[in-house]
């Protein structure tokens, strides 16, 4: 993301697709974004599931292997680009539960930032908790962990875009190369990843370099600075080893004296388009942020936010509107703390085009970020790495799209894979009173997958010995009949990998009751 005023990340600690149901958050302003393989057939003809196989482009649309239009509606899950060399949050949760929750919330694609450090021989990840979670990641290299994440994403029906975010873990770079990581290394590593996932259509493409900025130029002809020419060199190298991938090319910061967000300026595309050797593989990408990242002059325009569609048209929207190529807003985000940011996000969601009205003939997007530890945007998850920021997530409801059919992505040696012989779905629950003031009390119920197969949903039941009643509950829905309470998982925490846990909380009255026994049923 745009980093000039970015606070430090908390790093090492630790389609014809219908939209998901959702409502506009209260207080928000009223809205105003290889060769294709045919679906295999047998004697019985079947309709291909949306998103199958590798994808290609046609004008401003992205089509799947059978020619169906699809929409990328996803999330950024960062960490492989940092000094822990792995997706963040694995100190708190199992990676499978994380991916399953992403899918359950209606995101269909994960953008995975990385640095070239993970391609160094023997590069090992840090900050992974193996105590009952992530047990199958023990002893793996960073690339092998990435393999596992890609494999489970594919099984869940998620697509993955790999994002070369930094040349090394230290910092982003304005240009695609540094003294320590020359262009030759950049291209060699891009080709290595393209080769590694050749034949696995879970990985639909690679974002060549994150946020090129000054002194990078577009179309100036200086091979040391011209990002458009560098993108051609790298994109064609990727396609030379995996011609079915999409190649995502971000903008620059400045063009002909017009300055914008890092990577967000695609004004040079009309005159100097990126030329790839394989047709139908190019997707242009931009980034856009709110005031919680940095100020821009358009936020102070008296007509804000009505001025914003014109700003977006100028910088990157024209590429889509002129049917030049698909446009993917690879990063956008905000803390949502200010009214300006709330109006900005509402206007941007409207500009990206609702799925209900436009289907997949829309801008593609991946929100920044899934992680709560992004210093100037926060995330869809709150600091516990489990609870969803439902207000922030709710803003995106109109542009979400249904996910894709679950695949059978690689890694048969994963002991937690669905369908392994002998896998069982079981769970256990523990009830704890966190506070009791006589007139009422608060309690938590921790649910743990004690089986060997992933859970897709669960319910817990208990019966009080007294007259207690639930007054409110979070992270679950409930019914109460007499003294018996039945709580069912919420949409975001039903999926639990083997060994993973989640919690529900509730308030009740009166206090002073005994702790009941709780039964858990995997459903």
């Amino acid at each position: 993301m745009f980093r000039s005023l970015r606070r430090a990340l908390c790093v090492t600690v630790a389609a014809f697709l219908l939209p998901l149901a959702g409502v506009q958050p209260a207080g928000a302003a009223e809205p105003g974004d290889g060769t294709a393989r045919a679906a295999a057939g047998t004697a019985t003809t079947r309709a291909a599931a949306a998103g199958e196989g590798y994808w290609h482009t046609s004008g401003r649309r992205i089509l799947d292997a059978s020619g169906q239009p699809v929409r990328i509606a996803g999330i950024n899950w960062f960490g492989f680009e940092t000094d822990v060399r792995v997706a963040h949050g694995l100190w708190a949760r199992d990676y499978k539960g994380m991916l399953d929750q992403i899918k359950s919330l209606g995101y269909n694609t994960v953008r995975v930032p990385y640095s070239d450090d993970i391609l160094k021989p023997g590069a090992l990840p840090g900050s992974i908790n193996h105590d009952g979670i992530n047990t199958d990641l023990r002893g793996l290299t960073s690339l092998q962990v990435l393999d596992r994440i890609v494999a489970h994403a594919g099984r869940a029906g998620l697509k993955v875009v790999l994002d070369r975010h930094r040349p090394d873990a230290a910092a982003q770079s304005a240009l695609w190369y540094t003294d320590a990581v020359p262009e030759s290394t950049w291209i060699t590593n891009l080709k290595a990843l393209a080769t590694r996932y050749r034949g696995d259509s879970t990985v639909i493409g690679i974002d060549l370099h994150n946020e090129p900025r000054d002194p990078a130029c577009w179309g100036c002809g200086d091979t040391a600075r011209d990002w458009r020419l560098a993108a051609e060199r790298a994109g064609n190298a990727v396609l030379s080893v995996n011609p079915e991938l999409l190649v995502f090319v971000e903008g620059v910061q400045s063009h002909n004296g017009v300055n914008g967000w890092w990577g967000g300026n695609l004004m040079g595309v009309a005159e100097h388009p990126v030329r790839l050797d394989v047709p139908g593989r190019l997707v242009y990408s931009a980034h856009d942020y709110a005031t919680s990242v940095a100020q821009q002059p358009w936020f102070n325009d008296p007509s804000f936010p009505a001025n914003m569609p014109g700003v977006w048209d100028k910088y990157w929207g024209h590429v889509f509107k002129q049917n030049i190529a698909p446009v993917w807003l690879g990063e956008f985000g905000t803390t949502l703390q200010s009214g300006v940011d709330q109006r900005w996000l509402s206007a941007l969601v409207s500009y990206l085009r609702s799925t209900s009205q436009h289907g997949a003939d829309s801008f593609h997007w991946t929100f920044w970020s899934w992680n709560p530890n992004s210093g100037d945007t926060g995330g869809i998850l709150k600091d516990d790495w489990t609870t969803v920021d439902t207000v922030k997530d709710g803003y995106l409801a109109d542009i979400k799209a249904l996910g894709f059919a679950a695949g059978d992505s690689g890694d048969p040696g994963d002991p937690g894979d669905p369908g392994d012989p002998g896998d069982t779905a079981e769970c256990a629950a523990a009830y704890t009173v966190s506070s009791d003031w006589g007139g009422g009390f608060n309690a938590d119920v921790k649910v743990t997958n004690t089986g060997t197969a992933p859970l897709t949903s669960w319910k817990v039941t208990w019966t009080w010995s007294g007259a207690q009643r639930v007054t409110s509950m979070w992270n679950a829905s409930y019914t109460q009949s007499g003294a018996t309470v039945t709580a069912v998982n919420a949409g975001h925490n039903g999926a639990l990998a083997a060994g993973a846990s989640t919690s529900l909380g509730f308030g009740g009255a009166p206090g002073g009751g005994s702790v009941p026994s709780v039964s858990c049923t995997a459903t």
Side-chain angles (χ1 to χ4, degrees):
M1 64 180 300
F2 188 87
R3 303 296 202 278
S4 60
L5 296 180
R6 190 165 189 268
R7 295 184 292 276
L9 293 175
C10 301
V11 177
T12 54
V13 284
F16 299 123
L17 305 174
L18 298 176
L20 292 181
V23 295
Q24 189 71 13
E30 184 68 18
D33 159 94
T35 304
R37 297 182 306 206
T42 61
T44 301
T45 303
R46 65 172 177 83
E52 279 194 337
Y54 283 102
W55 297 355
H56 60 284
T57 69
S58 177
R60 68 188 190 182
R61 299 189 304 168
I62 298 178
L63 308 177
D64 68 10
S66 63
Q68 297 184 80
V70 292
R71 185 178 198 182
I72 297 173
I75 197 82
N76 285 269
W77 183 13
F78 66 79
F80 277 98
E81 82 282 17
T82 69
D83 59 359
V84 298
R85 298 171 298 280
V86 75
H88 282 185
L90 301 189
W91 53 75
R93 291 183 61 188
D94 189 272
Y95 73 97
K96 295 176 185 175
M98 203 90 79
L99 290 166
D100 292 342
Q101 186 179 12
I102 288 171
K103 175 67 180 290
S104 74
L105 289 172
Y107 302 101
N108 62 28
T109 303
V110 182
R111 181 175 182 254
V112 179
Y114 72 89
S115 84
D116 290 73
D117 281 353
I118 71 168
L119 288 107
K120 293 179 178 178
L124 295 173
S127 298
I128 299 180
N129 182 356
H130 300 294
D131 184 12
I133 58 175
N134 301 307
T135 54
D136 59 311
L137 303 184
R138 194 186 307 272
L140 301 186
T141 66
S142 293
L143 279 178
Q144 289 169 334
V145 173
L146 181 59
D147 292 342
R148 291 294 174 95
I149 288 175
V150 168
H152 191 77
R155 286 188 295 270
L158 294 167
K159 296 293 187 178
V160 171
V161 177
L162 301 176
D163 156 46
R164 197 279 192 142
H165 209 76
R166 301 177 180 177
D168 56 49
Q172 289 182 221
S173 60
L175 299 171
W176 55 96
Y177 62 91
T178 63
D179 290 342
V181 185
E183 178 175 309
S184 58
T185 300
W186 171 55
I187 289 179
T188 295
N189 287 341
L190 288 170
K191 291 174 67 176
L193 287 172
T195 301
R196 188 179 191 90
Y197 297 110
R198 184 169 53 206
D200 183 354
S201 60
T202 297
V203 178
I204 55 169
I206 298 180
D207 187 344
L208 298 178
H209 179 63
N210 186 66
E211 294 183 345
R213 65 182 188 271
D214 297 346
C217 63
W218 190 290
C220 67
D222 180 351
T223 56
R225 298 190 302 114
D226 193 330
W227 166 236
R228 176 255 197 162
L229 294 179
E232 290 178 350
R233 295 191 295 272
N236 285 325
V238 165
L239 294 172
S240 71
V241 297
N242 191 342
E244 294 187 295
L245 288 178
L246 296 177
V247 173
F248 296 88
V249 179
E250 298 188 27
V252 291
Q253 178 184 355
S254 302
H255 183 71
N256 290 342
V258 180
N259 183 67
W261 295 110
W262 294 356
N265 191 328
L266 291 169
M267 295 172 63
V269 166
E271 186 178 359
H272 299 288
V274 171
R275 301 156 299 185
L276 297 178
D277 295 337
V278 181
R281 294 294 178 268
L282 174 63
V283 179
Y284 288 105
S285 177
H287 292 181
D288 206 276
Y289 279 100
T291 62
S292 60
V293 173
Q295 279 289 342
Q296 294 281 12
W298 43 79
F299 296 127
N300 298 317
D301 189 302
S303 65
F304 177 86
N307 64 316
M308 292 309 302
V311 172
W312 294 319
D313 282 349
K314 174 182 176 180
Y315 281 93
W316 45 268
H318 64 281
V319 176
F320 172 84
K321 293 187 174 182
Q322 295 174 16
N323 201 35
I324 296 171
V327 174
W328 174 50
L329 195 61
E331 291 184 20
F332 63 107
T334 166
T335 60
L336 277 184
Q337 294 304 300
S338 74
V340 171
D341 284 23
Q342 294 163 17
R343 293 192 296 274
W344 167 85
L345 184 55
S346 182
L348 180 55
V349 164
S350 178
Y351 182 82
L352 295 177
R353 299 164 65 103
S354 72
T355 306
S356 60
Q357 290 182 299
H358 300 282
D361 185 24
S362 304
F363 292 93
H364 304 272
W365 57 274
T366 43
F367 188 74
W368 187 278
S369 62
W370 180 243
N371 308 46
N373 60 329
S374 178
D376 48 11
T377 66
I380 292 297
L381 292 184
K382 295 187 177 182
D383 288 343
D384 63 1
W385 283 93
T386 298
T387 305
V388 174
D389 185 332
T390 55
V391 173
K392 188 177 290 187
D393 182 63
Y395 271 84
L396 306 174
D398 284 348
I399 56 174
K400 287 183 179 178
L402 290 181
F404 309 116
D408 186 22
S409 178
D411 219 354
D414 183 346
D417 288 352
D420 282 354
D423 279 353
T424 58
E426 299 175 351
C427 60
Y431 181 116
T432 304
V433 176
S434 55
S435 60
D436 191 323
W437 55 94
F441 67 99
N442 288 323
D444 300 291
V445 176
K446 181 179 180 180
V447 177
T448 301
N449 180 353
T450 55
T452 56
L455 297 184
T456 56
S457 59
W458 48 263
K459 67 177 180 181
V460 293
T461 304
W462 66 89
T463 300
W464 281 307
S465 59
Q468 285 77 23
R469 297 196 65 82
V470 175
T471 56
S472 63
M473 185 174 289
W474 48 96
N475 289 330
S477 59
Y478 76 96
T479 57
Q480 182 167 355
S481 177
T484 300
V485 178
T486 300
V488 177
N489 62 272
H492 66 268
N493 64 354
L496 288 176
S501 298
T502 189
S503 295
L504 65 90
F506 65 92
S514 59
V515 173
S517 60
V518 184
S519 63
C520 183
T521 304
T523 59

